[in-house]
Amino acid sequence: MFERLVPSFLDKRVEPDHLPANGNDTSDNSDIRVGLPAQDTIRNHWNEPDLTVLKPRRSPPDFPYQLFGPFWSKWMLALAEGCSAPVDYVGLSLLSLVSTLIGSARAISPWAGWKEPAILWIALVGNPSSGKSPALEAVLGLARKIELEAAEDIQEKIRQFETDEFAAQLKRQEWEKDAKEAVKFGQAVPILPDTAKAPDKPERPRIIVSDTTPEALARLLSCQPKGVLVVRDELSGWLGSFNRYSGGEGGDRAFWLEAYGGRPYVIDRARNGGEAVTVQSLSTSIIGGIQPDKLQSLLLSGDDDGLTARILFCFPDPVPLERPKSTISMVEAETAFHWLHQLAMKPDETGDVSQGIVRLDPKATDFFQDWRQAHAANQPDGNIASWWGKMPGVCLRLALCFEYAGLASTVRQENFVVSHAAIEAATVFIEDYLKPMAERTYGDASLPQEERNAAVLAKWITKNRIERINTRELQRQVRLPGLRKAAEIRPAIEVLVDAGWLRAEPTRAGESKGRGASDYAVNPKLLDAYTHHNS
């Protein structure tokens, strides 16, 4: 599935007329020095370079922003331009916020016995300075503003809590006095009145949390059942924090597996004072960044318990750093987010609040089932298989987000039905974007480190039109990412030698004896082939 594609023009290899047994032309190396033009006779003694080392991973798919409708499409394009980030990062950040604002207030059900929450887990993959954080913060800035507005009266609520708490203490003292008197005279002890019980301290309303333990998150969600968005600058740190506080018994990982389903949850631990913390809905969406070189440990290490299979990956190429040409008002987007934030739990038959169930339109149900069967018929093998198996549920979650994002930007009125257009948009998003992106991500994680480092070195060679390299200079002066040590440089160079990019040509200074410097000549045909490849 993840075979590298060889450009067609490279299939026709140019075989030289003659080549010494060791593959080198030792008659004259003077033309392969920096700054000197390579002669045709020297070019003919090299094989064609394999340009696929430049892109060992699949190319990213185009982000289908049109699926979000005219308002959100224009908004996310302008926002991406403003923060010099790929529109992918903005679009996936928008989805994560929409899913959080819907939260546990709504769930989608295609038919009886199956319902899915709006919860989404998203990984923004990219190197440092690729635009992940600016794009995410540009979207979440509006959510933080809503948080501040919702917390304006928190100080007044805390004062009221302290007043009620003190009154409860006085009532308890009165009860304790009466209870002692009753015991003294052999009478029945009166029941502790409700007014003697301390009230719960009001929690500051939250939409976004960052570094948190399961216990702290459960306490927050017990009084804020609609849910929150966990934002992590580095998802590998989130995974690394598992079991940090639970003695390595696997409790944290189990907690997060439950969190993806938004189900009720109870934590009963000694650190909670022996009291159980009951969460009506463990509704937690997650978004964070991760660097490509950490993908392998995230995706390919540990047991396949389905945790990483729940993550949707966004791994675009960087965009040029250009001055933005357009501006956009945040007022309409803020209004849309406010409407989503105000979605409330619905009362059920018993009067308790619960999720409002959103059904599929009959045509949407038929369409979804047809897609589901076609999707299952193409189940792949390997590490991506578990991720693939989660897609039907993800499809429903995306359809719910698409439907409510559209409502929030237009009529802002519910009918508790997901349209055919929304479910179709979800399937297109999966087929045209999420699947190719997952293949790119999982394929990159499967690549050996030396191939990834070779790609870094190859790009540096072509960008700077290098004609000769020295391993010591690479290590001490150039210092490319992943190529800072000799043990990293040597395997990468071997890959480029095998690909016909480099040829070992050690040199010595003057007439001195001893081992020659680790010099490598760069294939003089490389510039022609690379120019042809990009034309």
Side-chain angles (χ1 to χ4, degrees):
M1 180 176 292
F2 306 115
E3 295 177 357
R4 293 185 297 177
L5 301 179
V6 180
S8 59
F9 72 89
L10 290 178
D11 289 340
K12 298 179 180 179
R13 302 292 183 177
V14 178
E15 298 296 337
D17 295 333
H18 68 279
L19 199 66
N22 62 1
N24 294 328
D25 177 13
T26 57
S27 60
D28 182 8
N29 289 331
S30 60
D31 289 328
I32 316 180
R33 290 176 295 177
V34 176
L36 292 179
Q39 301 297 323
D40 290 341
T41 56
I42 299 299
R43 290 175 183 266
N44 289 336
H45 294 162
W46 287 78
N47 288 332
E48 293 292 327
D50 181 359
L51 298 187
T52 60
V53 298
L54 284 166
K55 292 186 176 181
R57 65 176 66 105
R58 288 176 177 245
S59 298
D62 294 331
F63 185 77
Y65 57 84
Q66 303 91 336
L67 297 176
F68 290 76
F71 171 77
W72 291 118
S73 296
K74 182 179 178 181
W75 182 81
M76 67 176 65
L77 286 171
L79 211 62
E81 183 182 340
C83 57
S84 297
V87 67
D88 311 52
Y89 291 153
V90 176
L92 270 296
S93 298
L94 172 62
L95 275 176
S96 73
L97 181 55
V98 170
S99 72
T100 302
L101 296 177
I102 296 172
S104 59
R106 301 290 179 269
I108 182 171
S109 176
W111 47 72
W114 186 3
K115 70 175 183 178
E116 294 281 346
I119 295 168
L120 296 174
W121 290 4
I122 294 169
L124 306 180
V125 185
N127 290 313
S129 303
S130 59
K132 302 188 299 294
S133 296
L136 180 57
E137 191 54 40
V139 175
L140 298 189
L142 294 178
R144 299 187 195 280
K145 185 176 180 181
I146 295 174
E147 268 190 352
L148 290 174
E149 293 172 356
E152 286 179 352
D153 60 347
I154 189 65
Q155 294 303 322
E156 182 62 32
K157 289 181 178 179
I158 289 176
R159 283 195 295 269
Q160 184 63 51
F161 158 75
E162 292 174 344
T163 301
D164 295 341
E165 183 184 42
F166 183 68
Q169 291 174 357
L170 296 177
K171 288 291 184 180
R172 186 178 184 90
Q173 291 172 4
E174 291 181 6
W175 171 80
E176 289 177 350
K177 180 180 179 181
D178 293 342
K180 290 177 182 178
E181 289 290 321
V183 171
K184 180 179 179 180
F185 293 103
Q187 299 174 352
V189 176
I191 299 296
L192 180 71
D194 289 339
T195 54
K197 295 180 179 179
D200 294 329
K201 185 177 181 178
E203 289 279 354
R204 174 176 169 264
R206 302 292 297 276
I207 298 175
I208 301 167
V209 298
S210 53
D211 190 8
T212 183
T213 64
E215 288 85 356
L217 187 57
R219 285 194 294 271
L220 175 61
L221 293 177
S222 65
C223 56
Q224 186 172 301
K226 195 177 175 185
V228 294
L229 175 63
V230 175
V231 179
R232 299 298 303 250
D233 287 337
E234 185 56 62
L235 280 177
S236 59
W238 169 63
L239 290 170
S241 70
F242 289 172
N243 309 322
R244 185 188 301 163
Y245 308 101
S246 59
E249 298 174 356
D252 291 6
R253 201 171 185 93
F255 172 87
W256 288 109
L257 287 169
E258 290 292 326
Y260 184 78
R263 302 179 184 90
Y265 197 80
V266 177
I267 293 183
D268 188 3
R269 299 185 180 177
R271 65 174 55 88
N272 293 325
E275 295 184 4
V277 177
T278 302
V279 182
Q280 182 179 349
S281 177
L282 200 60
S283 181
T284 309
S285 288
I286 300 170
I287 190 168
I290 188 166
Q291 297 178 29
D293 61 356
K294 295 182 180 179
L295 277 174
Q296 186 163 0
S297 60
L298 173 67
L299 297 176
L300 304 180
S301 63
D303 297 332
D304 183 13
D305 58 4
L307 187 73
T308 53
R310 289 161 165 80
I311 299 175
L312 307 180
F313 293 95
C314 170
F315 190 4
D317 284 338
V319 298
L321 299 178
E322 297 178 348
R323 182 174 178 176
K325 299 180 178 63
S326 59
T327 58
I328 190 168
S329 171
M330 291 292 184
V331 175
E332 282 298 313
E334 186 178 343
T335 302
F337 291 144
H338 266 292
W339 182 80
L340 290 170
H341 185 243
Q342 291 166 1
L343 293 174
M345 310 285 279
K346 306 294 290 186
D348 59 18
E349 295 81 0
T350 64
D352 295 331
V353 293
S354 63
Q355 290 177 321
I357 302 300
V358 181
R359 305 290 182 183
L360 286 183
D361 175 89
K363 290 184 179 180
T365 304
D366 294 339
F367 183 88
F368 170 69
Q369 177 60 14
D370 290 342
W371 171 83
R372 181 179 172 225
Q373 290 175 333
H375 169 78
N378 293 295
Q379 176 81 20
D381 297 323
N383 293 301
I384 199 174
S386 183
W387 179 92
W388 195 278
K390 301 293 181 187
M391 284 302 101
V394 168
C395 182
L396 293 173
R397 297 176 185 217
L398 287 171
L400 182 61
C401 291
F402 278 125
E403 183 71 33
Y404 274 75
L407 293 176
S409 66
T410 53
V411 296
R412 302 188 182 102
Q413 193 171 23
E414 294 184 89
N415 60 5
F416 291 89
V417 173
V418 166
S419 64
H420 181 276
I423 197 73
E424 185 175 13
T427 60
V428 171
F429 192 70
I430 290 173
E431 294 294 332
D432 291 356
Y433 186 78
L434 291 181
K435 284 183 179 180
M437 192 61 80
E439 291 171 348
R440 167 178 164 87
T441 306
Y442 277 83
D444 185 70
S446 302
L447 283 174
Q449 185 65 49
E450 57 266 24
E451 289 191 27
R452 283 180 272 165
N453 289 344
V456 173
L457 181 56
K459 290 176 183 177
W460 174 76
I461 289 172
T462 55
K463 178 180 179 180
N464 296 282
R465 305 172 72 89
I466 303 298
E467 296 182 32
R468 196 177 192 88
I469 64 174
N470 176 272
T471 56
R472 183 172 296 181
E473 291 177 357
L474 282 175
Q475 181 179 351
R476 296 183 177 181
Q477 299 177 21
V478 181
R479 297 184 60 77
L480 296 170
L483 295 164
R484 307 289 176 86
K485 303 175 182 178
E488 299 169 332
I489 294 172
R490 284 193 297 269
I493 284 180
E494 290 175 4
V495 172
L496 294 187
V497 169
D498 291 341
W501 280 59
L502 302 177
R503 175 184 295 170
E505 292 189 351
T507 59
R508 294 187 182 91
E511 299 297 327
S512 63
K513 297 182 179 181
R515 185 175 62 181
S518 298
D519 285 357
Y520 290 82
V522 177
N523 189 340
K525 293 183 177 181
L526 179 63
L527 183 59
D528 295 339
Y530 188 63
T531 303
H532 182 195
H533 182 54
N534 286 329
S535 62

